Amino acid sequence: MSLKIGVMGSAATGQDTETLQTARLLGEEIARAGCVTITGACPGLPLAAAQGAHTVGGQVIGISPGLSLDEHLYKYHSPAEFHDVLIFTGSGLMGREVVNIRSSDIVVIVGGSSGTLGELAIAYDEGKLIGVLTGTGGITDVIPQILKACQKETGARLIYDNHPQKLIEQLLEVYRTEHYQHPSCFCMACETVETQGDLATVRDPVCGMWLDPKCAGTTKKINDVVIYFCCSACATEFEANPSRYSVT
């Protein structure tokens, strides 16, 4: 499966042009990296990211607070454009934040105020890999102080950068080389999974997924070593950049 990157940020209208453009560039970079963009299907900076991803052919999923498209549009005054899929939670604005975070492999914070702070808290508490697009205002200016005050080790990892492309590149590198081993508090570490008999004893070097060899999507043999992939997309990515991935 493609990695899913959630963009969490201010839904307020009237954002300055520079910050909106930065959010659009973020969405573009997520799409160009072959990842799915997840938003709260709201206006503001997340919508700008959705627009950026959509413009370059990326897939965008919106997690709606409403029960239906009618509620989404007319009760919550939220957009449908630039999203390929809307998932109707019926959980309201606060309730859908949990679905936003748990549906994302990686979370990126852009600007934001109290609602985004809630999403940050969930992501941090659940051990997610979190990117902070600095220079976009809001809570991004004070996140280090907030987390320092929490004095809590959760397994979450924070990466800060003011350049969308560099931020996404760093996040994907960390996820694929380290964080996949324990992507959230709800996942067993890969070292634990590896010991579970014959069920998951090999790892896809691209996405990090542990697999039952009998159920691998495809394989490739290099120097008498069989490499297992969860799907053809990972095999294609490996073939394009074999030196990037460890197969030991």
Side-chain angles (χ1 to χ4, degrees), residues 36-55:
V36 176
T37 301
I38 288 184
T39 78
C42 58
L45 299 180
L47 179 61
Q51 181 181 13
H54 178 82
T55 300

Side-chain angles (χ1 to χ4, degrees), residues 29-67:
E29 294 303 330
I30 292 170
R32 290 194 177 105
C35 299
V36 176
T37 301
I38 288 184
T39 78
C42 58
L45 299 180
L47 179 61
Q51 181 181 13
H54 178 82
T55 300
V56 297
Q59 185 178 24
V60 183
I61 297 175
I63 310 296
S64 171
L67 283 165

Side-chain angles (χ1 to χ4, degrees), residues 59-234:
Q59 185 178 24
V60 183
I61 297 175
I63 310 296
S64 171
L67 283 165
S68 64
L69 183 59
D70 277 358
E71 274 205 358
H72 179 80
L73 295 173
Y74 303 117
K75 178 179 179 179
Y76 293 101
H77 307 289
S78 292
E81 62 265 33
F82 308 124
H83 291 80
D84 298 288
V85 177
L86 288 177
I87 296 175
F88 301 111
T89 64
S91 299
L93 295 172
M94 299 294 287
R96 69 90 191 274
E97 291 179 357
V98 175
V99 183
N100 282 354
I101 300 304
R102 292 180 180 170
S103 298
S104 303
D105 299 302
I106 299 168
V107 173
V108 177
I109 305 296
V110 187
S113 57
S114 58
T116 309
L117 180 60
E119 289 163 327
L120 170 68
I122 297 166
Y124 185 79
D125 214 43
E126 297 189 354
K128 291 285 188 176
L129 175 59
I130 304 168
V132 180
L133 191 54
T134 56
T136 55
I139 67 166
T140 62
D141 294 332
V142 294
I143 286 176
Q145 296 94 308
I146 292 171
L147 298 183
K148 182 178 180 181
C150 290
Q151 297 185 339
K152 184 177 183 182
E153 179 55 51
T154 65
R157 173 81 178 268
L158 275 289
I159 294 178
Y160 299 84
D161 206 294
N162 65 356
H163 192 285
Q165 181 181 5
K166 292 179 181 178
L167 180 62
I168 294 302
E169 287 176 350
Q170 291 178 77
L171 288 168
L172 291 176
E173 182 68 19
V174 169
Y175 189 92
R176 288 167 172 160
T177 59
E178 303 172 31
H179 208 76
Y180 73 85
Q181 296 177 348
H182 196 202
S184 81
C185 65
F186 302 111
C187 302
M188 291 185 292
C190 286
E191 291 81 358
T192 303
V193 176
E194 190 178 12
T195 66
Q196 304 299 308
D198 296 328
L199 295 180
T201 58
V202 298
R203 186 172 70 88
D204 182 324
V206 175
C207 69
M209 182 182 293
W210 285 88
L211 307 165
D212 178 344
K214 300 187 295 296
C215 299
T218 186
T219 61
K220 184 178 180 64
K221 193 171 185 179
I222 298 180
N223 298 329
D224 296 325
V225 176
V226 179
I227 306 170
Y228 297 85
F229 302 95
C230 69
C231 63
S232 59
C234 281

